[in-house]
Amino acid sequence: MAVLQKGKANYPFWGASLNLISGLDPLSLQTTSEATYATMLPGISNLTNRLRYYGFYCWLIDFYFKKEKKGNSTEQYKFIRRAELMVAIIMQSEKKAVQQITGSNFATNLINNLKGKYFDLAEGADNDGEKVVYWKYPSGAFGQYYYGAMSSLSLILAATNDDGDFIFSVSNPHPRQKVSGKELADAFDSALIPEIKDLFYNNIKKGKLSVDDIPILIDYFAIEKINQKNPEWPLYVSMLLDKDEPGQEIEEYFTYHRKETINELIQDAIENKNEYNWKSFLKKTYKFKMGTPASPVSDTYIGWYSYQFNEYFQFACGSVFWATLQYLHSLQQEQYLPQFVRKFSKLVTTELCKSLKESPESKFQQVLSGISKEQDEDTLYYSIETSPSSNPVKAACAGFLLLFQLYNANKEFLHPLKEFMNRKQTIREGNMVDGLLYFHSIQDDTFQSFIEQFILRKIIYRHQMVAIRKMGNGTQATHKFIIEEQYIRFIDTFPPRATSPRMNALFNLLSDLKIVNSDGMLSFLHKKIFSE
C-alpha cells in the first residue's frame, strides 16, 4: 500500500507527490487586515522602503527614452536591471549599513568575490534564464516591488507601443495631481552633472562598473540621501500628501487616507514629546473606535481601528490554532478526531472555568457577561505565549479570553463597522466582525459546547478548508495536519503572527526625508508636513 511520509508518497502510488510548504495565514484571517492597510496607505508597500527609489526610477525610465530612440521591453528591462545592480553595488560598497537596497545580497557577494577592477553588470543582471542573476523577475525589483506603488501614485505608466510591446514610461504633469513622474525625473536629473550621466549611461551600455567609479557615483546616487535643499525633497512631500489616487478625476471619490495617516502619526508624536511611535497611534485608534457624536473621528481613524481590531482577532484565533497543534503534537501519534476535540476542549474549558469562576454547563451568554475588564485587549494580546515550551492549554485559554474581551468591548460597533468596511471595500471572508457576530447565535449554548464547537469548526475545519483552497490544482500544500477517516495526524506547528501594516515602510520614508531622525524623534522638518 502507499505510504505518505513528509508529504511524499512512496511507491506504489498512482499520482504526483505532495510538496508540503510552511505557508502563511493558515486560517486566512489576515486578509481583512491586508485590505485595510492597503486602503489606508496606498502608494506604499512593505517592500518600498526607500523614498528616493521613486525619483530614481522616474529618472531612469525618462533617461532611457532620452538615450534610446528605439526601444522594446527586452532592452528596457536590461537597462533597468543593470542600473539597479549598479546602484546596489555602489550602496553596498560605500554605505553597507543602509538597509532595504534592492539586490543588496547579490551585490555583497559580488564585492566579496571581486578579483579584478571591474564588476560585470551584464553577467550579474542580464537574465537569460540559465544563470544565477541578482533578480529573477524580468523587469527587476522595479517591476516586482516599486511599479505597483508608483503606478497607484500615477508616476509610472505601462502600455503597449506601436509594435505591441509592453514598456514603462513616466506620467506628464496634469492639473489633477500634485506630482507627476516627469517632474520627479527632472528633479532627480537636476542634481546630476553631464559627466555623471554619461558615466552612468556608459556603464549600463558596456555592462561594466569600474571600482574607481564607485566613490564618484555614490555622491549622486545615494538612495537614502535626500537633501532638503534639493528640488526632490518638496516633491516627495507633496507626493505623499496628495490624494490617495492622484489619477482620480471624480471629486466625490477623492480620499486622503495616506495624508491623514501621516498627519495623525505626527500629531500623536507631538502629544508624546515628539516620540514617533506608530504602535501607539494604532492603540489610540482602537481606543476611540468609531467615535461619538460629541467626539467624532475621521474615516481614516475608523479604518485603522478596524485594522487593529482584526489584528487582535486573528492573533487570538491563531493562538488557539497553535495550541491545538501543539497539544496534538504532544500526544505523539494520530488521534481519533471527535475524541481529540472533546479531550482538548475539556482541558481548556476546565482551565477557563477556574479563572472565570464559572461552570462548564453555564450558558455562554452568562460567561461573556461575567468577563472582567481588568485586563484590556492589549494586555491579553501580549500575555499569549506560543514558544515551543509554552503550555498549549494556557495558550488556548489566553486566546479565548482575548476573543471574549474583544466581543464585549466592540459588540455595539459590529454592525456599523461592517457597513463601514463594506463601503470602503476592505471586508474579506474571515473578518473579525463576522467572526464575533457568530457569538450572537450561540448565546444559549453551554460554555463547554461553545469551546468544543469553536475548536472543531472555527479552527480545525477552517484550516482544512483554507489549506485545500490554497492548494487548488497544484501539488503544494500548507496543511498543518491531515485528517483521514476521522483520524487527525500532526504535521507542523504554526505560531500566531501579526501582519505588517506598511507602517515600518512609512517610517523609513519619513526617515529618508529626515522628518523623523535616527532616534525615532520628530525633527523640525515635521512642521513642513503640516504646511502642505
PDB file of all heavy atoms in Angstrom, residues 339-369:
ATOM      1  N   GLN A 339     -12.787  12.415  19.563  1.00  0.00           N
ATOM      2  CA  GLN A 339     -12.269  12.220  20.909  1.00  0.00           C
ATOM      3  C   GLN A 339     -11.180  13.258  21.241  1.00  0.00           C
ATOM      4  O   GLN A 339     -11.130  13.789  22.351  1.00  0.00           O
ATOM      5  CB  GLN A 339     -11.702  10.813  21.057  1.00  0.00           C
ATOM      6  CG  GLN A 339     -11.216  10.467  22.454  1.00  0.00           C
ATOM      7  CD  GLN A 339     -10.717   9.032  22.542  1.00  0.00           C
ATOM      8  OE1 GLN A 339     -10.883   8.252  21.606  1.00  0.00           O
ATOM      9  NE2 GLN A 339     -10.123   8.681  23.663  1.00  0.00           N
ATOM     10  N   PHE A 340     -10.343  13.538  20.256  1.00  0.00           N
ATOM     11  CA  PHE A 340      -9.281  14.532  20.455  1.00  0.00           C
ATOM     12  C   PHE A 340      -9.877  15.902  20.777  1.00  0.00           C
ATOM     13  O   PHE A 340      -9.428  16.589  21.707  1.00  0.00           O
ATOM     14  CB  PHE A 340      -8.413  14.620  19.206  1.00  0.00           C
ATOM     15  CG  PHE A 340      -7.503  15.813  19.177  1.00  0.00           C
ATOM     16  CD1 PHE A 340      -6.356  15.848  19.960  1.00  0.00           C
ATOM     17  CD2 PHE A 340      -7.800  16.923  18.374  1.00  0.00           C
ATOM     18  CE1 PHE A 340      -5.517  16.966  19.942  1.00  0.00           C
ATOM     19  CE2 PHE A 340      -6.973  18.035  18.354  1.00  0.00           C
ATOM     20  CZ  PHE A 340      -5.825  18.046  19.144  1.00  0.00           C
ATOM     21  N   VAL A 341     -10.887  16.318  20.015  1.00  0.00           N
ATOM     22  CA  VAL A 341     -11.505  17.629  20.230  1.00  0.00           C
ATOM     23  C   VAL A 341     -12.179  17.687  21.595  1.00  0.00           C
ATOM     24  O   VAL A 341     -12.054  18.676  22.329  1.00  0.00           O
ATOM     25  CB  VAL A 341     -12.510  17.948  19.110  1.00  0.00           C
ATOM     26  CG1 VAL A 341     -13.287  19.228  19.424  1.00  0.00           C
ATOM     27  CG2 VAL A 341     -11.788  18.089  17.778  1.00  0.00           C
ATOM     28  N   ARG A 342     -12.898  16.620  21.964  1.00  0.00           N
ATOM     29  CA  ARG A 342     -13.564  16.600  23.271  1.00  0.00           C
ATOM     30  C   ARG A 342     -12.543  16.706  24.406  1.00  0.00           C
ATOM     31  O   ARG A 342     -12.738  17.455  25.363  1.00  0.00           O
ATOM     32  CB  ARG A 342     -14.397  15.314  23.424  1.00  0.00           C
ATOM     33  CG  ARG A 342     -15.730  15.350  22.708  1.00  0.00           C
ATOM     34  CD  ARG A 342     -16.649  14.235  23.205  1.00  0.00           C
ATOM     35  NE  ARG A 342     -16.074  12.911  22.978  1.00  0.00           N
ATOM     36  CZ  ARG A 342     -16.270  12.191  21.875  1.00  0.00           C
ATOM     37  NH1 ARG A 342     -17.004  12.687  20.875  1.00  0.00           N
ATOM     38  NH2 ARG A 342     -15.736  10.997  21.741  1.00  0.00           N
ATOM     39  N   LYS A 343     -11.451  15.953  24.283  1.00  0.00           N
ATOM     40  CA  LYS A 343     -10.453  15.936  25.342  1.00  0.00           C
ATOM     41  C   LYS A 343      -9.773  17.291  25.489  1.00  0.00           C
ATOM     42  O   LYS A 343      -9.643  17.820  26.601  1.00  0.00           O
ATOM     43  CB  LYS A 343      -9.415  14.853  25.051  1.00  0.00           C
ATOM     44  CG  LYS A 343      -8.388  14.658  26.159  1.00  0.00           C
ATOM     45  CD  LYS A 343      -7.449  13.513  25.811  1.00  0.00           C
ATOM     46  CE  LYS A 343      -6.403  13.315  26.918  1.00  0.00           C
ATOM     47  NZ  LYS A 343      -5.467  12.202  26.583  1.00  0.00           N
ATOM     48  N   PHE A 344      -9.348  17.861  24.360  1.00  0.00           N
ATOM     49  CA  PHE A 344      -8.641  19.136  24.431  1.00  0.00           C
ATOM     50  C   PHE A 344      -9.579  20.259  24.867  1.00  0.00           C
ATOM     51  O   PHE A 344      -9.208  21.103  25.706  1.00  0.00           O
ATOM     52  CB  PHE A 344      -8.029  19.472  23.064  1.00  0.00           C
ATOM     53  CG  PHE A 344      -7.232  20.745  23.059  1.00  0.00           C
ATOM     54  CD1 PHE A 344      -6.202  20.949  23.970  1.00  0.00           C
ATOM     55  CD2 PHE A 344      -7.507  21.747  22.136  1.00  0.00           C
ATOM     56  CE1 PHE A 344      -5.457  22.120  23.964  1.00  0.00           C
ATOM     57  CE2 PHE A 344      -6.768  22.922  22.118  1.00  0.00           C
ATOM     58  CZ  PHE A 344      -5.746  23.107  23.040  1.00  0.00           C
ATOM     59  N   SER A 345     -10.788  20.288  24.338  1.00  0.00           N
ATOM     60  CA  SER A 345     -11.735  21.346  24.712  1.00  0.00           C
ATOM     61  C   SER A 345     -12.119  21.250  26.185  1.00  0.00           C
ATOM     62  O   SER A 345     -12.329  22.271  26.849  1.00  0.00           O
ATOM     63  CB  SER A 345     -12.984  21.289  23.831  1.00  0.00           C
ATOM     64  OG  SER A 345     -13.676  20.071  24.011  1.00  0.00           O
ATOM     65  N   LYS A 346     -12.177  20.026  26.707  1.00  0.00           N
ATOM     66  CA  LYS A 346     -12.493  19.875  28.130  1.00  0.00           C
ATOM     67  C   LYS A 346     -11.369  20.440  28.999  1.00  0.00           C
ATOM     68  O   LYS A 346     -11.634  21.094  30.022  1.00  0.00           O
ATOM     69  CB  LYS A 346     -12.723  18.391  28.456  1.00  0.00           C
ATOM     70  CG  LYS A 346     -13.193  18.153  29.897  1.00  0.00           C
ATOM     71  CD  LYS A 346     -13.537  16.683  30.125  1.00  0.00           C
ATOM     72  CE  LYS A 346     -14.037  16.465  31.559  1.00  0.00           C
ATOM     73  NZ  LYS A 346     -14.389  15.048  31.802  1.00  0.00           N
ATOM     74  N   LEU A 347     -10.126  20.192  28.596  1.00  0.00           N
ATOM     75  CA  LEU A 347      -8.987  20.747  29.346  1.00  0.00           C
ATOM     76  C   LEU A 347      -9.017  22.271  29.318  1.00  0.00           C
ATOM     77  O   LEU A 347      -8.786  22.926  30.351  1.00  0.00           O
ATOM     78  CB  LEU A 347      -7.674  20.237  28.748  1.00  0.00           C
ATOM     79  CG  LEU A 347      -7.343  18.757  28.939  1.00  0.00           C
ATOM     80  CD1 LEU A 347      -6.118  18.379  28.108  1.00  0.00           C
ATOM     81  CD2 LEU A 347      -7.107  18.444  30.410  1.00  0.00           C
ATOM     82  N   VAL A 348      -9.308  22.844  28.153  1.00  0.00           N
ATOM     83  CA  VAL A 348      -9.358  24.297  28.012  1.00  0.00           C
ATOM     84  C   VAL A 348     -10.519  24.870  28.816  1.00  0.00           C
ATOM     85  O   VAL A 348     -10.371  25.873  29.533  1.00  0.00           O
ATOM     86  CB  VAL A 348      -9.480  24.692  26.532  1.00  0.00           C
ATOM     87  CG1 VAL A 348      -9.690  26.201  26.383  1.00  0.00           C
ATOM     88  CG2 VAL A 348      -8.240  24.258  25.758  1.00  0.00           C
ATOM     89  N   THR A 349     -11.686  24.234  28.718  1.00  0.00           N
ATOM     90  CA  THR A 349     -12.864  24.709  29.443  1.00  0.00           C
ATOM     91  C   THR A 349     -12.628  24.665  30.940  1.00  0.00           C
ATOM     92  O   THR A 349     -12.969  25.621  31.666  1.00  0.00           O
ATOM     93  CB  THR A 349     -14.096  23.861  29.080  1.00  0.00           C
ATOM     94  OG1 THR A 349     -14.282  23.848  27.663  1.00  0.00           O
ATOM     95  CG2 THR A 349     -15.344  24.404  29.752  1.00  0.00           C
ATOM     96  N   THR A 350     -12.064  23.592  31.423  1.00  0.00           N
ATOM     97  CA  THR A 350     -11.800  23.455  32.857  1.00  0.00           C
ATOM     98  C   THR A 350     -10.875  24.556  33.344  1.00  0.00           C
ATOM     99  O   THR A 350     -11.106  25.179  34.392  1.00  0.00           O
ATOM    100  CB  THR A 350     -11.171  22.081  33.161  1.00  0.00           C
ATOM    101  OG1 THR A 350     -12.065  21.049  32.742  1.00  0.00           O
ATOM    102  CG2 THR A 350     -10.882  21.931  34.643  1.00  0.00           C
ATOM    103  N   GLU A 351      -9.818  24.831  32.572  1.00  0.00           N
ATOM    104  CA  GLU A 351      -8.860  25.873  32.954  1.00  0.00           C
ATOM    105  C   GLU A 351      -9.514  27.249  32.934  1.00  0.00           C
ATOM    106  O   GLU A 351      -9.294  28.078  33.827  1.00  0.00           O
ATOM    107  CB  GLU A 351      -7.667  25.841  31.998  1.00  0.00           C
ATOM    108  CG  GLU A 351      -6.536  26.760  32.371  1.00  0.00           C
ATOM    109  CD  GLU A 351      -5.782  26.328  33.616  1.00  0.00           C
ATOM    110  OE1 GLU A 351      -5.858  25.128  33.967  1.00  0.00           O
ATOM    111  OE2 GLU A 351      -5.126  27.192  34.236  1.00  0.00           O
ATOM    112  N   LEU A 352     -10.336  27.511  31.921  1.00  0.00           N
ATOM    113  CA  LEU A 352     -11.026  28.801  31.835  1.00  0.00           C
ATOM    114  C   LEU A 352     -12.028  28.972  32.972  1.00  0.00           C
ATOM    115  O   LEU A 352     -12.148  30.056  33.550  1.00  0.00           O
ATOM    116  CB  LEU A 352     -11.745  28.924  30.490  1.00  0.00           C
ATOM    117  CG  LEU A 352     -10.880  29.292  29.278  1.00  0.00           C
ATOM    118  CD1 LEU A 352     -11.678  29.122  27.990  1.00  0.00           C
ATOM    119  CD2 LEU A 352     -10.363  30.728  29.390  1.00  0.00           C
ATOM    120  N   CYS A 353     -12.727  27.903  33.303  1.00  0.00           N
ATOM    121  CA  CYS A 353     -13.728  27.980  34.374  1.00  0.00           C
ATOM    122  C   CYS A 353     -13.091  28.293  35.724  1.00  0.00           C
ATOM    123  O   CYS A 353     -13.687  28.974  36.572  1.00  0.00           O
ATOM    124  CB  CYS A 353     -14.529  26.675  34.450  1.00  0.00           C
ATOM    125  SG  CYS A 353     -15.724  26.482  33.088  1.00  0.00           S
ATOM    126  N   LYS A 354     -11.893  27.813  35.936  1.00  0.00           N
ATOM    127  CA  LYS A 354     -11.183  28.119  37.189  1.00  0.00           C
ATOM    128  C   LYS A 354     -10.939  29.621  37.308  1.00  0.00           C
ATOM    129  O   LYS A 354     -11.153  30.212  38.369  1.00  0.00           O
ATOM    130  CB  LYS A 354      -9.842  27.380  37.228  1.00  0.00           C
ATOM    131  CG  LYS A 354      -9.942  25.888  37.476  1.00  0.00           C
ATOM    132  CD  LYS A 354      -8.547  25.267  37.492  1.00  0.00           C
ATOM    133  CE  LYS A 354      -8.606  23.752  37.651  1.00  0.00           C
ATOM    134  NZ  LYS A 354      -7.250  23.142  37.595  1.00  0.00           N
ATOM    135  N   SER A 355     -10.470  30.220  36.214  1.00  0.00           N
ATOM    136  CA  SER A 355     -10.154  31.650  36.272  1.00  0.00           C
ATOM    137  C   SER A 355     -11.396  32.529  36.220  1.00  0.00           C
ATOM    138  O   SER A 355     -11.415  33.620  36.795  1.00  0.00           O
ATOM    139  CB  SER A 355      -9.211  32.016  35.123  1.00  0.00           C
ATOM    140  OG  SER A 355      -9.825  31.772  33.876  1.00  0.00           O
ATOM    141  N   LEU A 356     -12.446  32.041  35.555  1.00  0.00           N
ATOM    142  CA  LEU A 356     -13.664  32.840  35.420  1.00  0.00           C
ATOM    143  C   LEU A 356     -14.697  32.542  36.504  1.00  0.00           C
ATOM    144  O   LEU A 356     -15.723  33.222  36.582  1.00  0.00           O
ATOM    145  CB  LEU A 356     -14.294  32.587  34.048  1.00  0.00           C
ATOM    146  CG  LEU A 356     -13.442  32.959  32.828  1.00  0.00           C
ATOM    147  CD1 LEU A 356     -14.147  32.566  31.538  1.00  0.00           C
ATOM    148  CD2 LEU A 356     -13.141  34.449  32.818  1.00  0.00           C
ATOM    149  N   LYS A 357     -14.402  31.495  37.298  1.00  0.00           N
ATOM    150  CA  LYS A 357     -15.338  31.076  38.358  1.00  0.00           C
ATOM    151  C   LYS A 357     -16.712  30.769  37.775  1.00  0.00           C
ATOM    152  O   LYS A 357     -17.752  31.235  38.252  1.00  0.00           O
ATOM    153  CB  LYS A 357     -15.433  32.148  39.452  1.00  0.00           C
ATOM    154  CG  LYS A 357     -14.117  32.378  40.203  1.00  0.00           C
ATOM    155  CD  LYS A 357     -14.269  33.436  41.270  1.00  0.00           C
ATOM    156  CE  LYS A 357     -13.002  33.552  42.116  1.00  0.00           C
ATOM    157  NZ  LYS A 357     -11.786  33.807  41.334  1.00  0.00           N
ATOM    158  N   GLU A 358     -16.713  29.985  36.728  1.00  0.00           N
ATOM    159  CA  GLU A 358     -17.931  29.558  36.059  1.00  0.00           C
ATOM    160  C   GLU A 358     -17.952  28.041  35.963  1.00  0.00           C
ATOM    161  O   GLU A 358     -16.948  27.370  36.249  1.00  0.00           O
ATOM    162  CB  GLU A 358     -18.030  30.163  34.650  1.00  0.00           C
ATOM    163  CG  GLU A 358     -18.194  31.663  34.608  1.00  0.00           C
ATOM    164  CD  GLU A 358     -19.607  32.107  34.970  1.00  0.00           C
ATOM    165  OE1 GLU A 358     -20.486  31.232  35.127  1.00  0.00           O
ATOM    166  OE2 GLU A 358     -19.824  33.324  35.081  1.00  0.00           O
ATOM    167  N   SER A 359     -19.086  27.501  35.538  1.00  0.00           N
ATOM    168  CA  SER A 359     -19.228  26.061  35.351  1.00  0.00           C
ATOM    169  C   SER A 359     -19.221  25.750  33.857  1.00  0.00           C
ATOM    170  O   SER A 359     -19.689  26.557  33.045  1.00  0.00           O
ATOM    171  CB  SER A 359     -20.552  25.587  35.953  1.00  0.00           C
ATOM    172  OG  SER A 359     -20.910  24.309  35.461  1.00  0.00           O
ATOM    173  N   PRO A 360     -18.710  24.580  33.468  1.00  0.00           N
ATOM    174  CA  PRO A 360     -18.761  24.195  32.053  1.00  0.00           C
ATOM    175  C   PRO A 360     -20.176  24.176  31.492  1.00  0.00           C
ATOM    176  O   PRO A 360     -20.378  24.314  30.291  1.00  0.00           O
ATOM    177  CB  PRO A 360     -18.143  22.796  32.038  1.00  0.00           C
ATOM    178  CG  PRO A 360     -17.259  22.759  33.243  1.00  0.00           C
ATOM    179  CD  PRO A 360     -17.974  23.571  34.272  1.00  0.00           C
ATOM    180  N   GLU A 361     -21.164  24.007  32.379  1.00  0.00           N
ATOM    181  CA  GLU A 361     -22.555  23.962  31.948  1.00  0.00           C
ATOM    182  C   GLU A 361     -23.229  25.318  31.955  1.00  0.00           C
ATOM    183  O   GLU A 361     -24.405  25.434  31.621  1.00  0.00           O
ATOM    184  CB  GLU A 361     -23.340  22.987  32.838  1.00  0.00           C
ATOM    185  CG  GLU A 361     -22.834  21.554  32.796  1.00  0.00           C
ATOM    186  CD  GLU A 361     -22.770  21.008  31.371  1.00  0.00           C
ATOM    187  OE1 GLU A 361     -23.754  21.205  30.617  1.00  0.00           O
ATOM    188  OE2 GLU A 361     -21.741  20.411  31.003  1.00  0.00           O
ATOM    189  N   SER A 362     -22.501  26.367  32.342  1.00  0.00           N
ATOM    190  CA  SER A 362     -23.066  27.724  32.322  1.00  0.00           C
ATOM    191  C   SER A 362     -23.395  28.127  30.893  1.00  0.00           C
ATOM    192  O   SER A 362     -22.751  27.676  29.935  1.00  0.00           O
ATOM    193  CB  SER A 362     -22.068  28.726  32.896  1.00  0.00           C
ATOM    194  OG  SER A 362     -21.778  28.442  34.245  1.00  0.00           O
ATOM    195  N   LYS A 363     -24.403  28.963  30.753  1.00  0.00           N
ATOM    196  CA  LYS A 363     -24.736  29.480  29.431  1.00  0.00           C
ATOM    197  C   LYS A 363     -23.590  30.366  28.937  1.00  0.00           C
ATOM    198  O   LYS A 363     -22.979  31.107  29.707  1.00  0.00           O
ATOM    199  CB  LYS A 363     -26.036  30.292  29.479  1.00  0.00           C
ATOM    200  CG  LYS A 363     -27.263  29.484  29.866  1.00  0.00           C
ATOM    201  CD  LYS A 363     -27.652  28.504  28.758  1.00  0.00           C
ATOM    202  CE  LYS A 363     -28.972  27.808  29.106  1.00  0.00           C
ATOM    203  NZ  LYS A 363     -29.337  26.792  28.087  1.00  0.00           N
ATOM    204  N   PHE A 364     -23.310  30.289  27.658  1.00  0.00           N
ATOM    205  CA  PHE A 364     -22.218  31.088  27.094  1.00  0.00           C
ATOM    206  C   PHE A 364     -22.458  32.575  27.323  1.00  0.00           C
ATOM    207  O   PHE A 364     -21.529  33.331  27.624  1.00  0.00           O
ATOM    208  CB  PHE A 364     -22.082  30.792  25.597  1.00  0.00           C
ATOM    209  CG  PHE A 364     -20.989  31.547  24.922  1.00  0.00           C
ATOM    210  CD1 PHE A 364     -19.681  31.470  25.387  1.00  0.00           C
ATOM    211  CD2 PHE A 364     -21.245  32.343  23.813  1.00  0.00           C
ATOM    212  CE1 PHE A 364     -18.651  32.180  24.760  1.00  0.00           C
ATOM    213  CE2 PHE A 364     -20.229  33.040  23.189  1.00  0.00           C
ATOM    214  CZ  PHE A 364     -18.928  32.968  23.659  1.00  0.00           C
ATOM    215  N   GLN A 365     -23.718  33.003  27.215  1.00  0.00           N
ATOM    216  CA  GLN A 365     -24.059  34.407  27.446  1.00  0.00           C
ATOM    217  C   GLN A 365     -23.683  34.835  28.859  1.00  0.00           C
ATOM    218  O   GLN A 365     -23.171  35.938  29.083  1.00  0.00           O
ATOM    219  CB  GLN A 365     -25.553  34.610  27.214  1.00  0.00           C
ATOM    220  CG  GLN A 365     -26.019  36.049  27.387  1.00  0.00           C
ATOM    221  CD  GLN A 365     -27.502  36.196  27.126  1.00  0.00           C
ATOM    222  OE1 GLN A 365     -28.240  35.202  27.128  1.00  0.00           O
ATOM    223  NE2 GLN A 365     -27.953  37.411  26.898  1.00  0.00           N
ATOM    224  N   GLN A 366     -23.914  33.953  29.822  1.00  0.00           N
ATOM    225  CA  GLN A 366     -23.583  34.246  31.218  1.00  0.00           C
ATOM    226  C   GLN A 366     -22.078  34.402  31.409  1.00  0.00           C
ATOM    227  O   GLN A 366     -21.610  35.287  32.130  1.00  0.00           O
ATOM    228  CB  GLN A 366     -24.112  33.121  32.118  1.00  0.00           C
ATOM    229  CG  GLN A 366     -23.774  33.275  33.593  1.00  0.00           C
ATOM    230  CD  GLN A 366     -24.237  32.077  34.412  1.00  0.00           C
ATOM    231  OE1 GLN A 366     -25.243  31.453  34.080  1.00  0.00           O
ATOM    232  NE2 GLN A 366     -23.500  31.758  35.464  1.00  0.00           N
ATOM    233  N   VAL A 367     -21.327  33.539  30.742  1.00  0.00           N
ATOM    234  CA  VAL A 367     -19.864  33.609  30.855  1.00  0.00           C
ATOM    235  C   VAL A 367     -19.355  34.920  30.268  1.00  0.00           C
ATOM    236  O   VAL A 367     -18.509  35.605  30.871  1.00  0.00           O
ATOM    237  CB  VAL A 367     -19.206  32.417  30.136  1.00  0.00           C
ATOM    238  CG1 VAL A 367     -17.687  32.556  30.142  1.00  0.00           C
ATOM    239  CG2 VAL A 367     -19.618  31.106  30.797  1.00  0.00           C
ATOM    240  N   LEU A 368     -19.869  35.306  29.108  1.00  0.00           N
ATOM    241  CA  LEU A 368     -19.430  36.549  28.475  1.00  0.00           C
ATOM    242  C   LEU A 368     -19.702  37.765  29.357  1.00  0.00           C
ATOM    243  O   LEU A 368     -18.863  38.659  29.483  1.00  0.00           O
ATOM    244  CB  LEU A 368     -20.138  36.735  27.130  1.00  0.00           C
ATOM    245  CG  LEU A 368     -19.632  35.903  25.946  1.00  0.00           C
ATOM    246  CD1 LEU A 368     -20.485  36.175  24.714  1.00  0.00           C
ATOM    247  CD2 LEU A 368     -18.174  36.208  25.639  1.00  0.00           C
ATOM    248  N   SER A 369     -20.867  37.799  29.952  1.00  0.00           N
ATOM    249  CA  SER A 369     -21.241  38.960  30.776  1.00  0.00           C
ATOM    250  C   SER A 369     -20.414  39.052  32.047  1.00  0.00           C
ATOM    251  O   SER A 369     -20.322  40.125  32.659  1.00  0.00           O
ATOM    252  CB  SER A 369     -22.733  38.897  31.133  1.00  0.00           C
ATOM    253  OG  SER A 369     -23.014  37.718  31.885  1.00  0.00           O
TER     254      SER A 369
END
